[in-house]
Amino acid sequence: MATLEIRDLHVSVDTENGPKQILRGVDLTIAGGQTHAIMGPNGSGKSTLAYSIAGHPKYNVTSGTVTLDGEDVLDMSVDERARAGLFLAMQYPVEVPGVSVANFLRTAKTAIDGEAPKLRTWVKDVNKALADLDMDADFGTRNVNEGFSGGEKKRHEIVQLELLNPKVAILDETDSGLDIDALRIVSEGVNRFAGQGDKGVLLITHYTRILRYIKPDFVHVFVDGRVAEEGGPELAEELEANGYERFLKAGAK
Amino acid sequence: MSSSDTLVATGNKAHSHGPGSPVPLQARSERPTSYDVADFAVPNGREEEWRFTPVRQLKALFEDAAGTETPKVDASGPEGVVFETVAADSLKVGKPQDRSAAVAWNHAGDAFAVRIPVEAELTEPVHVNVASLGARGFSHLIIESGRHSKAIVIIDHSGSGELGSNVEIVVGDGSDLRVVSIQQGDHESIHLGQHDAVVGRDAKLHHVAVTLGGKIVRIGTNVRYAGPGGDAELLGVYFAEGGQHHENRLFVDHEATNCKSNVLYKGALAGDHARSVWIGDVLIRAAAEGTDTFELNRNLVLTDGARADSVPNLEIETGEIEGAGHASATGRFDDEQLFYLQARGIPEDAARRLVVSGFFNDIIGKIGVPEVTEHLHEVIEEKLARAAELSTSAKAVIGQ
Ligand SMILES: Nc1ncnc2c1ncn2[C@@H]1O[C@H](COP(=O)(O)OP(=O)(O)O)[C@@H](O)[C@H]1O
Ligand SMILES: [Mg+2]
């Protein structure tokens, strides 16, 4: 069982006016088999948390620890983190001109597994993963995310999630910008992944809508760079009814 | 301007020029061309056609004197191709446009000619190797494709000397000629070359300029059309490393009707004082109705201290055209792309290679000569490996 443990994480970014503190002591433990939802208003630091775990060079960890099954994640390069079993579905997936989806997926799979996938089953796996996310097989010949619609980019992230099959998936607003059909298709993909039983999911979202399709075991309200309140699914229902008002007032004190 | 500046010249204006005096292309086409060296003053670097070039390092190729060596030219090709030595002035399709081309014209001696006979369809590429052996020398090549022939000619420039060269290309009516000119001299080599091509009626020219090595390489490629229905695809790939200057100057002169030109040049730069210059001039004269032209230059700046200049010029004198456009973009290596690939487990060096090969992917696909594209992939990998070493040692110096 994989466990991702975040302890007292402080993160800043460099700005023209010096470092700006964004995360102010995040504590979070995601054990295998659990789905955690992080909900918070815009600018509260949700993407910063996701990127910091994945190792984006823009974010400086000033204190705290992140471990995956006891291994120091912060000491790893971005690609080592992915090979250790972390996956980040990005809020804004990046276009890579001239690199085909097929080449990209095969290169990534080879890197993660340490060996090239068996050609025959691999082609089948890719086509199935694409079909499961309602993407045409000829996406394989397109360049990575280039000219994809917003929804196609998000579905492509979940295709990668299913093919690379990490230990822990962090999904940064994968639901944002999706219409209801795409939301359902993406959610089914996440549920297939989580349904394997031993996987951890950290579902970052701004809206409660996706929680109708993906049932979290824990809900964390994220305000001003830290977890302001934790609870079960009932916390999401409260947010659905009342919004972030109560937490924003608390955060502003 | 600091050495880390990257000049991003975007040419969305029909008459855009960089800093300096704008010179209409009409004037450019009337610029003196001459076989006589004395008609060109020694450039001082302020002239429109020399302002991007480090002229002070080119004295040897401006001097009106015989070479100190004769570059070694050898050629091979499949049955059917004809090689012969002919007088320099036997064709006169090209006419020197600057001093170095005039010097080369006068001191190269006879020209080496490659002829593809009428209706011959060559199954294998023709190879012409021009090696400059460490001194100052000149070469003159002529490539002629006969009516309705089809051929690929690969010119390989190598060596360590200072080379001035002229290449004259005649694309016979209805023929399909692919000329690949590879510039891959040693690190200290200098090469100034002028290519002039005349595209026959309904003929197709693919001209590919691949510059992979040399301290200073400047290739001017001029294309005109002898009749209607001609089609020129002008491709270029370059990769300048620290201290290298790679310059390409194109001039497509549309005067015949219903001709096409498509220009695509892509370059990468890595290392301190890596420099590229691309000038793309396209003139559609009043008579050139039905012209269809597009030109595009893109540059990928991989490290600090490299600089790319890109100046597209499109001048249109008739409204009766099929289409005309140009674009130019220079960008830095995108660290977000690197992060995305690494976040999928791909190690940094492999991710870098993937991004750069992606950048070159479309143009390499168009070159259409497997031995050239394989070679390109290999050399690009080597250059990226060197660039990666550079950045690792730079980090070590800063103590990271
Ligand atoms: N490079 C940066 N420079 C300055 N501020 C930044 C930078 N990156 C993020 N921020 C700020 O950090 C805060 C958190 O951003 P983010 O993590 O994207 O929030 P969320 O994903 O919750 O909307 C925001 O106020 C944002 O403006
Ligand atoms: Mg965000």
Side-chain angles (χ1 to χ4, degrees):
Chain A
M1 282 272 169
T3 303
L4 179 69
E5 226 177 299
I6 301 157
R7 283 289 158 269
D8 195 32
L9 190 67
H10 287 71
V11 172
S12 70
V13 294
D14 292 328
T15 72
E16 281 167 15
N17 313 316
K20 176 181 172 189
Q21 197 70 37
I22 302 178
L23 299 189
R24 303 159 190 274
V26 179
D27 288 291
L28 212 52
T29 302
I30 295 138
Q34 295 177 350
T35 294
H36 293 244
I38 288 194
M39 307 195 59
N42 282 330
S44 57
K46 304 183 298 296
S47 290
T48 300
L49 176 64
Y51 276 127
S52 301
I53 297 169
H56 194 291
K58 192 171 98 176
Y59 300 94
N60 308 314
V61 174
T62 50
S63 66
T65 60
V66 179
T67 59
L68 180 63
D69 295 334
E71 299 271 343
D72 182 359
V73 167
L74 299 178
D75 200 36
M76 301 178 196
S77 65
V78 176
D79 46 296
E80 283 169 345
R81 296 178 196 205
R83 293 199 297 276
L86 288 174
F87 180 91
L88 168 62
M90 289 181 212
Q91 186 173 1
Y92 303 107
V94 180
E95 299 183 5
V96 191
V99 177
S100 72
V101 167
N103 183 15
F104 165 64
L105 293 174
R106 185 168 19 81
T107 307
K109 184 67 175 172
T110 304
I112 298 274
D113 288 1
E115 60 176 2
K118 301 260 175 307
L119 199 64
R120 273 196 53 213
T121 48
W122 175 244
V123 172
K124 256 193 261 164
D125 291 349
V126 170
N127 287 339
K128 180 175 186 312
L130 286 169
D132 283 347
L133 271 299
D134 201 21
M135 294 180 87
D136 210 275
D138 61 38
F139 270 96
T141 63
R142 307 244 324 245
N143 292 334
V144 172
N145 294 326
E146 202 177 43
F148 287 23
S149 70
E152 285 165 350
K153 285 181 181 170
K154 297 298 182 74
R155 281 185 272 154
H156 181 218
E157 295 292 285
I158 303 305
V159 168
Q160 296 169 52
L161 170 68
E162 293 209 73
L163 286 170
L164 301 179
N165 202 19
K167 291 177 181 166
V168 177
I170 302 162
L171 309 173
D172 189 6
E173 295 207 29
T174 301
D175 54 327
S176 296
L178 294 182
D179 63 31
I180 199 72
D181 287 332
L183 183 67
R184 186 179 44 75
I185 289 164
V186 158
S187 301
E188 284 168 6
V190 175
N191 287 334
R192 275 192 300 274
F193 169 76
Q196 297 172 90
D198 55 348
K199 307 292 184 182
V201 175
L202 182 59
L203 180 75
I204 296 173
T205 178
H206 182 72
Y207 307 101
T208 50
R209 188 178 64 149
I210 194 171
L211 303 182
R212 286 177 224 149
Y213 300 93
I214 301 173
K215 292 291 165 211
D217 304 297
F218 303 92
V219 174
H220 312 265
V221 181
F222 209 73
V223 179
D224 200 21
R226 61 161 76 87
V227 176
E229 191 160 318
E230 305 184 284
E234 73 289 346
L235 190 51
E237 278 153 34
E238 189 207 323
L239 289 171
E240 168 99 62
N242 305 327
Y244 293 112
E245 197 95 333
R246 165 163 83 83
F247 304 99
L248 288 176
K249 277 185 197 129
K253 74 171 181 271
Chain B
M1 191 173 292
S2 82
S3 62
S4 66
D5 275 352
T6 303
L7 187 89
V8 183
T10 44
N12 297 322
K13 295 153 284 180
H15 297 267
S16 79
H17 292 262
S21 59
V23 180
L25 293 182
Q26 179 66 42
R28 169 181 173 150
S29 67
E30 285 158 8
R31 203 163 69 195
T33 54
S34 173
Y35 297 101
D36 190 352
V37 177
D39 287 340
F40 301 98
V42 173
N44 58 29
R46 288 190 293 276
E47 302 80 0
E48 175 62 26
E49 67 271 32
W50 290 104
R51 64 192 175 94
F52 293 106
T53 319
V55 292
R56 280 197 305 273
Q57 298 177 60
L58 300 174
K59 287 202 179 77
L61 293 176
F62 293 146
E63 191 190 340
D64 189 5
T68 51
E69 65 147 340
T70 307
K72 195 166 160 295
V73 176
D74 52 41
S76 62
E79 204 165 325
V81 62
V82 177
F83 300 119
E84 55 187 339
T85 302
V86 298
D89 59 359
S90 61
L91 200 61
K92 286 193 165 178
V93 155
K95 197 171 178 187
Q97 295 202 334
D98 56 35
R99 182 163 175 113
S100 53
V103 169
W105 183 278
N106 283 281
H107 296 291
D110 289 340
F112 182 84
V114 177
R115 294 191 207 287
I116 319 299
V118 169
E119 294 185 14
E121 295 210 2
L122 302 191
T123 48
E124 294 289 320
V126 176
H127 288 93
V128 181
N129 298 319
V130 180
S132 71
L133 303 169
R136 168 176 172 275
F138 304 100
S139 73
H140 187 167
L141 303 179
I142 288 173
I143 301 166
E144 269 187 286
S145 61
R147 183 170 25 87
H148 292 123
S149 66
K150 185 167 188 205
I152 298 172
V153 178
I154 301 170
I155 314 168
D156 203 333
H157 297 94
S158 64
S160 51
E162 291 168 273
L163 175 68
S165 73
N166 285 291
V167 180
E168 297 181 273
I169 301 166
V170 177
V171 191
D173 290 352
S175 70
D176 182 322
L177 178 62
R178 199 173 279 268
V179 175
V180 182
S181 179
I182 301 171
Q183 289 69 239
Q184 195 168 8
D186 297 348
H187 200 68
E188 286 307 305
S189 67
I190 292 180
H191 181 183
L192 303 181
Q194 180 175 323
H195 294 210
D196 292 273
V198 178
V199 181
R201 188 180 209 278
D202 302 319
K204 175 132 198 179
L205 168 69
H206 311 259
H207 182 276
V208 189
V210 177
T211 300
L212 298 172
K215 185 163 80 171
I216 302 172
V217 180
R218 170 176 142 128
I219 303 294
T221 300
N222 309 303
V223 175
R224 56 186 203 273
Y225 300 83
D231 186 349
E233 180 179 54
L234 310 173
L235 305 173
V237 177
Y238 45 93
F239 195 140
E241 292 175 84
Q244 295 183 332
H245 175 103
H246 292 175
E247 178 167 344
N248 288 284
R249 311 180 76 88
L250 290 121
F251 180 38
V252 184
D253 188 346
H254 280 279
E255 191 158 24
T257 57
N258 298 301
C259 289
K260 280 189 198 168
S261 58
N262 188 22
V263 179
L264 175 61
Y265 271 64
K266 282 193 159 187
L269 300 96
D272 214 15
H273 297 288
R275 182 83 199 272
S276 73
V277 176
W278 180 86
I279 311 290
D281 292 342
V282 176
L283 171 62
I284 305 173
R285 293 177 190 264
E289 293 183 0
T291 295
D292 191 354
T293 179
F294 192 78
E295 54 169 349
L296 172 63
N297 173 228
R298 288 201 55 209
N299 296 295
L300 180 60
V301 179
L302 295 170
T303 66
D304 285 346
R307 171 177 165 158
D309 287 284
S310 180
V311 187
N313 293 310
L314 176 60
E315 195 163 300
I316 307 173
E317 296 174 350
T318 171
E320 303 296 312
I321 56 168
E322 281 294 306
H326 63 167
S328 155
T330 296
R332 286 183 167 270
F333 189 88
D334 187 344
D335 290 329
E336 294 302 323
Q337 293 177 7
L338 199 61
F339 173 72
Y340 189 73
L341 297 173
Q342 282 188 265
R344 299 305 179 246
I346 302 170
E348 179 175 346
D349 54 344
R352 245 173 223 285
R353 286 201 300 272
L354 208 53
V355 171
V356 176
S357 67
F359 172 77
F360 282 119
N361 196 31
D362 57 342
I363 189 157
I364 289 179
K366 285 180 185 184
I367 291 175
V369 186
E371 65 181 87
V372 174
T373 54
E374 278 159 32
H375 178 66
L376 255 172
H377 281 299
E378 274 168 32
V379 175
I380 289 171
E381 294 261 314
E382 284 165 23
K383 284 170 179 275
L384 286 171
R386 278 199 289 275
E389 259 169 50
L390 272 183
S391 64
T392 317
S393 54
K395 272 181 199 158
V397 169
I398 309 168
Q400 281 181 330

